[in-house]
Amino acid sequence: MSDSTYPLITKKLTMHFGGLAALEDIDLAVERGTTHAIIGPNGAGKSTFFNCLTGLLRPTSGRVLLEGQDITGLPPERISQRGVARSYQITNIFPGSTCLENIRVAVQSRQPTSSFLQHHRTDATTLEGAVGIIETIGLGGKEDVMASSLSHGEQRNLEIGIALATAPTLLCLDEPTAGMSASETRDVVELIRRIGASLTILIVEHDMQVVMSLAQRITVLDYGQVLAQGTPDEIQANPQVQEAYLKI
Amino acid sequence: MAGTRSAEKPGFWIAFLVVVAVLAVVPLWFPNSFWQRLLTEVLILGLLAMSSDLLIGYVGMVSFGHALFFGTGCYGAAYALTWTESPFALWLALLLGLAGAAVMGIFVAFYSTRLRDIYFSITTLVFAQIFWVIVFTWTDVTGGENGLVFSPPRLSFLGLFAAEFTTMSMHWFVLAVVALCYVFCRRVTQSPFGKVLQAIRENEPRTRAIGYNVERHKMGMVMLSALVAGLSGALYGIFNAYAAPDYFFFLQSGETVIYNVLGGIGTLAGPVLGAGVFVLLKELFSTYWSPEYYLIPVGLLFTIMVIYMPQGLLGFLRHKLNE
C-alpha cells in the first residue's frame, strides 16, 4: 500500500475499555478522493473508531497513519492541524455565535498566528473564506443568524461547514443525516457528494440508502472487528453482512 | 454584515469619546473633592472589574481571587514609592505593580489550564486568601495589618514636566489610563485571539477539535487579566498613598464579581458602571444607615437584579434600546 494513494491507513488499531474490546485489530485504508463508509450495528465500534482517529481517545495499540505520518495518540488540536476534520453525531457547534462566526473561527484556525491587536473583521482572507464555506453549505444569507436559532437541518449543515472550514485532507462525518427529514437528508447527501468530488471522506451512517448512494467503498464493523470490506455491490451481496447487519 | 471591513460599528468611537469627555468634565461641577475622589475610585475599581470580565465574560472562567492581582499591584506600587522619589516614581510604581501582578498571573495561568468551572473559582479564592494571610502576618515586609503608607508620587511625563497631583489631575490621569485600557481590552476581545477564547467559552471540545491549543489561549487571557487587575491595584495605591492587606481580602474579590453581575458580564464597560452603582449605593447606605450593614440592602438589590435583570444594567439598557 503506497501512502500517496491512501491518505489514511490504520494498522491493527485496537481500543480496549477495561475488558471490553471496542475495536480489535482494525486494518483500514482510505483511498484518496473516495467516499468511504463505515457501517455496522449499534455498538459495533464506529464512533470509537472516529474517536481514535481524531485524538479524543488514545488507542490501546495499533497505529494511525495520515499521509504516511504516525498520528497515533496525538491530542485533537494537533490531529486537526495535520488535516483530519470531523463532524459529530450529536450537533457540536458554537450555539451562542452567529453562523458566520462559527465558520470564521474555524477558517481562522489555519492562519499561522492569531493576532491579539487586529480586529477580526479586518482579516479579509479569513472572512472571504468563511463566506465561501457558508455558500457551499447552503446557508447563504444566514450569516448573522445565531447558530442556536437555526433549524436542526441547518445546524447539521453548519456542523459539516465547521469541519470543512479547517481545509482538511480527510473529512470524517459521523452520521451527518441523524434526525433529518427526508428532504433535508436529500440536501445533505447532495452537499456531501459535492464536497466529495474534491475531498477524501470517511463517513459513518445508518441510513443504507445514503450509504449506497455516496460510498465507493464500504467497511462493515461488527463487535469491534472488520466483518467485510468492498464496493457497495459486494457488501450488499455478502451473506455474512446480510446476516449481521442487513437482517435480510 | 458579512463582508464588512470596518473594525468598529459606526458610532462606537463617538459614544466612547462622549462618555470619556463627560467623565472628564462633570467632576468639575461637583460640590467638593469628596465626590470627585469617589468618581476616581469608581474608575479604578471599574478597571479591576473590567479585568475580571475578560475572564468571566470572554472565557467563562469566574475568578474569585482577583484581589490577589489587585493587592499585588497595589503593594508593588507601594514598594516603588517607599524606595524612590525620582521624577519617574509614578511610572516605576505602575511598572512594579504590573510586574508583581504578572508573577501572580503566571501561577494562576498555570493552574487555569488544569482546573475548570467551580474548581478554578475555588482555587483562585484559596490562592488569594493564602496571600492575604501572608501579607497580614509578615509585618516586617508588608507592614502587617497597618499596611504601607507612603507619599504620593508627582505627576510626570517623559521628563517633560512634573507637578504635584491635584484631585482633578489625579482623576484625569486615572481616566486616561482606564480609557486606554478599555480600548485595548476591547480590541483584544474582538481580535482573532479573543474570538478563539469566546469559542472556548461556547464549546471547548469543539474549539480543540478545530485545531486550537486551548491551554495556550487560556493562559494568555489569564495573564492579560492579571496585568490589568495589577494596574488597577497600582493606581489604587497611588491614589490613596496607602496599601492595605484588605486589598487582598476575599471581600475585594467578591465585590469585583458583583460589579460584573450588576453592570453586565461580557461588555467590559458594564462592570465599570456596576462598580459605580455599587460604590454609590454603599456610600448612600453608609451615610443613612450604620456602615457595617450596607451589605444587607446591597445583597437584596443584587438578588433582585440577578432574578429580573440577569444580563446586568448595560445588557438591560442595550436590550431596551434595541427594542
Side-chain angles (χ1 to χ4, degrees):
Chain A
M1 279 191 278
S2 103
D3 293 337
S4 56
T5 351
Y6 299 99
L8 180 81
I9 296 170
T10 68
K11 289 183 174 166
K12 295 202 172 300
L13 195 66
T14 301
M15 182 77 224
H16 288 184
F17 296 110
L20 177 79
L23 294 174
E24 194 74 61
D25 293 339
I26 305 287
D27 286 313
L28 190 110
V30 180
E31 198 179 330
R32 193 177 303 281
T34 61
T35 298
H36 190 129
I38 298 178
I39 62 172
N42 286 326
K46 305 181 298 286
S47 289
T48 306
F49 183 69
F50 264 26
N51 289 342
C52 286
L53 289 188
T54 53
L56 283 179
L57 290 173
R58 177 188 280 272
T60 314
S61 65
R63 293 206 296 157
V64 181
L65 301 177
L66 183 75
E67 302 286 8
Q69 287 182 308
D70 195 343
I71 60 163
T72 324
L74 289 182
E77 64 268 24
R78 299 268 301 279
I79 290 182
S80 162
Q81 290 291 353
R82 295 287 186 95
V84 180
R86 78 171 287 186
S87 76
Y88 295 77
Q89 191 177 347
I90 296 160
T91 307
N92 197 351
I93 54 177
F94 303 106
S97 301
T98 62
C99 250
L100 180 66
E101 183 54 26
N102 266 267
I103 302 291
R104 203 201 57 77
V105 79
V107 175
Q108 182 193 303
S109 71
R110 301 302 116 153
Q111 302 294 337
T113 55
S114 53
S115 154
F116 68 97
L117 282 180
Q118 186 191 17
H119 196 289
H120 72 278
R121 275 197 287 263
T122 58
D123 180 358
T125 329
T126 304
L127 207 55
E128 278 158 21
V131 171
I133 301 272
I134 289 200
E135 294 296 329
T136 309
I137 57 173
L139 291 177
K142 301 218 166 176
E143 285 88 351
D144 293 335
V145 178
M146 278 288 158
S148 54
S149 5
L150 294 175
S151 73
H152 176 74
E154 288 168 334
Q155 289 188 356
R156 299 297 298 165
N157 282 0
L158 189 63
E159 170 80 48
I160 296 175
I162 294 172
L164 198 58
T166 62
T169 49
L170 175 73
L171 179 62
C172 303
L173 302 173
D174 198 350
E175 296 198 30
T177 68
M180 281 189 164
S181 72
S183 76
E184 286 171 336
T185 302
R186 264 196 306 280
D187 290 346
V188 88
V189 166
E190 196 42 53
L191 169 64
I192 295 169
R193 202 190 305 282
R194 252 184 298 139
I195 302 169
S198 55
L199 197 61
T200 314
I201 296 179
L202 191 60
I203 179 172
V204 164
E205 183 56 63
H206 270 304
D207 188 327
M208 275 308 126
Q209 269 186 313
V210 171
V211 171
M212 294 304 164
S213 69
L214 280 176
Q216 283 96 50
R217 280 193 76 79
I218 296 176
T219 299
V220 186
L221 291 186
D222 196 19
Y223 295 110
Q225 290 178 325
V226 176
L227 189 68
Q229 303 213 44
T231 63
D233 291 336
E234 288 166 7
I235 294 298
Q236 272 174 314
N238 186 316
Q240 269 181 301
V241 176
Q242 288 175 1
E243 190 185 326
Y245 188 58
L246 298 173
K247 309 270 189 265
I248 301 169
Chain B
M1 255 313 284
T4 310
R5 296 285 176 80
S6 65
E8 297 288 356
K9 292 202 175 77
F12 167 76
W13 290 111
I14 297 171
F16 171 74
L17 289 175
V18 167
V19 170
V20 171
V22 166
L23 287 172
V25 173
V26 161
L28 288 171
W29 285 285
F30 283 180
N32 52 45
S33 68
F34 172 79
W35 291 103
Q36 291 167 340
R37 282 179 61 83
L38 198 69
L39 186 63
T40 313
E41 189 177 350
V42 164
L43 288 176
I44 298 173
L45 294 175
L47 185 62
L48 172 63
M50 196 193 294
S51 76
S52 155
D53 191 25
L54 285 174
L55 291 183
I56 303 179
Y58 294 90
V59 201
M61 302 197 301
V62 182
S63 158
F64 271 112
H66 252 53
L68 174 64
F69 309 128
F70 186 71
T72 317
C74 191
Y75 273 81
Y79 280 121
L81 293 175
T82 43
W83 287 334
T84 173
E85 291 194 7
S86 86
F88 301 106
L90 173 65
W91 304 98
L92 285 173
L94 292 178
L95 212 64
L96 201 63
L98 282 172
V103 172
M104 295 302 175
I106 289 169
F107 284 104
V108 177
F110 180 71
Y111 64 68
S112 73
T113 62
R114 280 158 182 75
L115 300 166
R116 48 176 53 255
D117 307 329
I118 190 75
Y119 305 101
F120 175 74
S121 305
I122 295 296
T123 312
T124 49
L125 169 63
V126 171
F127 198 58
Q129 286 297 85
I130 289 171
F131 277 89
W132 174 71
V133 172
I134 292 173
V135 169
F136 202 83
T137 49
W138 200 8
T139 313
D140 295 345
V141 178
T142 62
E145 86 182 285
N146 295 323
L148 296 172
V149 183
F150 45 88
S151 53
R154 288 153 67 84
L155 175 59
S156 66
F157 189 70
L158 295 174
L160 291 178
F161 69 92
E164 293 299 328
F165 268 119
T166 64
T167 308
M168 278 316 290
S169 68
M170 173 62 85
H171 177 73
W172 288 324
F173 176 70
V174 167
L175 178 61
V177 174
V178 173
L180 283 176
C181 280
Y182 171 73
V183 170
F184 179 75
C185 290
R186 185 179 163 90
R187 175 48 60 90
V188 170
T189 58
Q190 298 289 316
S191 72
F193 170 78
K195 284 290 168 183
V196 175
L197 287 155
Q198 285 158 70
I200 292 172
R201 182 195 63 195
E202 291 280 314
N203 189 341
E204 184 173 324
R206 186 56 150 155
T207 311
R208 212 183 283 281
I210 56 176
Y212 287 110
N213 185 325
V214 168
E215 285 73 29
R216 220 167 47 200
H217 281 85
K218 277 187 180 175
M219 287 169 82
M221 201 55 141
V222 170
M223 282 306 292
L224 178 66
S225 178
L227 285 174
V228 176
L231 185 60
S232 73
L235 282 178
Y236 206 54
I238 293 165
F239 169 69
N240 283 328
Y242 175 55
D246 284 359
Y247 301 160
F248 276 93
F249 192 56
F250 167 69
L251 204 60
Q252 190 70 54
S253 305
E255 284 185 0
T256 307
V257 176
I258 293 176
Y259 303 154
N260 271 281
V261 177
L262 282 183
I265 288 166
T267 57
L268 293 180
V272 184
L273 181 65
V277 171
F278 186 92
V279 169
L280 200 63
L281 286 176
K282 187 171 163 180
E283 204 52 53
L284 289 175
F285 288 132
S286 306
T287 316
Y288 298 107
W289 242 16
S290 176
E292 305 97 86
Y293 297 137
Y294 78 92
L295 278 171
I296 296 171
V298 166
L300 276 176
L301 182 86
F302 180 74
T303 313
I304 292 167
M305 286 227 21
V306 169
I307 295 169
Y308 294 105
M309 223 188 268
Q311 67 278 63
L313 279 173
L314 201 71
F316 182 76
L317 290 175
R318 191 185 279 171
H319 189 70
K320 282 283 164 212
L321 287 174
N322 286 345
E323 266 176 9

